[in-house]
Every structure is written in structure tokens, then in C-alpha cells.
Amino acid sequence: MLIRPDGDRTIVITQPAHAALSAQLAHGWGNDRFGEVEPRDAVSLGALLHDIGWLDWEQSPTLNPSTGLPHSFMQLSTRVHLDIWNSASRRALMFGRYPALLTSMHFTGLYERFHDYSRDSEEDARDARALVDHELAFQNELVAALRSDATMAAAAGDAQLNRNRQLVALWDGMSLAICHGIAEPREFRNAPTSNGGVDVTLTMSNADVIVDPWPFRKDRVVVTVDGRILTRTFDDQVAMQDAVANASWITLTTRLVPA
């Protein structure tokens, strides 16, 4: 869950809803400088499903007693994250091999770049490494199957898979920034282009978010995400869960524009 302060209230956004915004970025992505998204439908579906493992947790979010609000995704233990990611790629597989592959690669990429095993218990570190190994084996099986399929072989080459994995990670980061609200410029390093990489910056300007350099096909892109409004904090988890389930909805709309 994403926690977005909003004056005297809090907007909570589920991980799958944030992923849906990632998919909106994917649908509009691509131009001469940044290249096209190939295969667009399958990669966009991978962006949509990359947080599918969160579906169960988001229906019963846990209370962070230090804030009186639901835990954000960054506040949960390694053990909870492992339980969530353990089901993600298999759930995505129900939609197809390519989105499942990207979902699995997103998880292993996160653990490669960000996970600090030194903060884990010995048991959690062991299980985290075992899950990464399991997902890497799953990826190898899917890649082999895709490369034997004439329709998907080109999309399963190392260069194309690496580009698409990077794109899903980029859209994930951009979506998180947009969902949280961009209070200061956010830079995303080495975004894949048609002939290399470039740093992309998001900057708030009045009601718009300036994206520089511009990576989309159209000259304006509007993205939306649904959240729910909490007007107080809680000291009881069941009361918090009931409040989230019955909270008023809000649609957050963001217009992206070129510099």
C-alpha cells in the first residue's frame, strides 16, 4: 500500500492500483528517441501485473502501530514480502508467459538492486535467496519456451528482455513518484532509449508534471489512479481495515507534459 499525506487526511493507494498506473505509462510510451515497446501488449500487461502478488495482502492490510495507518509496502518485513512475491509470477502466468516472466524478473531485479540481506534474520536471508534462485529457474524455463515459439522468439532475446525489464522497473518508479505526489524533482537514471540510455526527470509545475526528456508518443499524457481517503489514525487493526474498506474513493489525475 502507498501512503500519501494530504493535509489533515491520508490517501491510501493499493499496490495493484499503482501498477495499473504503470500500465498507463506503458501504453503511451515510445517515440523516435525512446524507441517502441515490443511486444507492446505483453509488456504493458507485465507492467499491469508486476504487483499482482499483493492482491491478498491489500484486502487485509496490517496496521503500523507507530503511525496508526496501514503499513506502506516499504515498512513490511522481509518475511511478509517473501509471502507476497512467492505467488506473484505464478498468478501472472495465468495471463501469459511473457507477463509472468517480466513479473518474476521485476522481483529478482528488486532484490538484486535494493535488498540488504544483512538486515534479515538467518532464516529470512536463506529463504529470500532460495526464492530468488527459484524465480531465476522459473525465468529460464519461460525463456526457453518462448524462444522455441516462432511468434515470441524475437521478444525473448537477451537484449529485448533486458530492455523490457528495465522499462517495467522505470514505469514502476515513475508511477510510485506520481502516486506519492512529486514534491521535488525526481530523476530516473539510464532509461532505455533507441540507442542507449538517458536520465529522465519528473518535475512538478503548477498542476502538471514535466517529463524531460519526453518519452511518449503523444504530446500530452493523462494518468489516473484510484485511492481511498482516511480522515484519522487507528490503534486497532480491525477498525483500520474496516475504515479502509469503507472509505470514500478519490481519483487522482495527473497530466504529464514535455519540458
Side-chain angles (χ1 to χ4, degrees):
M1 187 166 282
L2 283 66
I3 310 297
R4 176 170 172 161
D6 186 54
D8 59 356
R9 61 186 189 173
T10 301
I11 298 172
V12 294
I13 301 168
T14 67
Q15 294 291 113
H18 131 71
L21 195 153
S22 298
Q24 294 172 52
L25 299 174
H27 284 302
W29 197 268
N31 54 32
D32 288 344
R33 181 171 186 180
F34 280 81
E36 291 301 315
V37 179
E38 295 290 347
R40 184 175 293 275
D41 288 345
V43 178
S44 297
L45 188 54
L48 175 66
L49 298 175
H50 78 265
D51 275 339
I52 194 173
W54 288 87
L55 286 174
D56 291 338
W57 187 94
E58 292 286 0
Q59 294 180 70
S60 300
T62 53
L63 177 68
N64 183 343
S66 67
T67 65
L69 296 168
H71 282 105
S72 80
F73 72 97
M74 296 179 289
Q75 296 166 339
L76 292 167
S77 69
T78 293
R79 177 56 53 185
V80 173
H81 277 275
L82 294 180
D83 290 341
I84 287 166
W85 284 108
N86 188 50
S87 68
S89 58
R90 302 319 186 274
R91 286 183 167 184
L93 187 59
M94 299 301 100
F95 295 83
R97 293 170 295 177
Y98 209 84
L101 177 58
L102 290 177
T103 298
S104 180
M105 293 175 78
H106 184 69
F107 160 68
T108 55
L110 288 175
Y111 267 59
E112 176 186 319
R113 297 191 305 276
F114 301 121
H115 193 72
D116 183 359
Y117 290 95
S118 68
R119 297 182 181 181
D120 295 334
S121 69
E122 183 176 338
E123 180 182 12
D124 285 351
R126 180 200 66 209
D127 290 349
R129 290 190 172 96
L131 182 56
V132 169
D133 289 343
H134 185 263
E135 289 299 314
L136 291 174
F138 175 68
Q139 291 167 26
N140 288 336
E141 292 175 6
L142 287 183
V143 169
L146 289 165
R147 288 178 179 174
S148 67
D149 182 335
T151 303
M152 296 299 297
D158 288 340
Q160 192 65 42
L161 279 175
N162 185 57
R163 171 179 165 81
N164 290 336
R165 177 191 62 79
Q166 289 179 293
L167 285 172
V168 171
L170 174 61
W171 299 326
D172 174 52
M174 291 176 66
S175 174
L176 289 174
I178 293 167
C179 288
H180 281 123
I182 299 172
E184 57 187 27
R186 292 290 307 276
E187 185 177 65
F188 298 88
R189 305 297 300 274
N190 202 33
T193 66
S194 57
N195 60 356
V198 67
D199 298 343
V200 174
T201 302
L202 305 187
T203 307
M204 200 74 192
S205 177
N206 297 321
D208 295 333
V209 173
I210 297 173
V211 185
D212 186 31
W214 185 246
F216 298 102
R217 291 179 287 176
K218 297 182 178 179
D219 59 4
R220 296 289 188 277
V221 172
V222 176
V223 294
T224 63
V225 65
D226 274 355
R228 304 192 88 154
I229 301 170
L230 297 180
T231 57
R232 66 183 183 91
T233 57
F234 304 87
D235 56 16
D236 177 80
Q237 180 164 287
V238 174
M240 177 274 293
Q241 291 172 343
D242 184 65
V244 170
N246 294 286
S248 298
W249 289 97
I250 184 172
T251 299
L252 301 173
T253 301
T254 304
R255 189 171 77 152
L256 309 177
V257 299

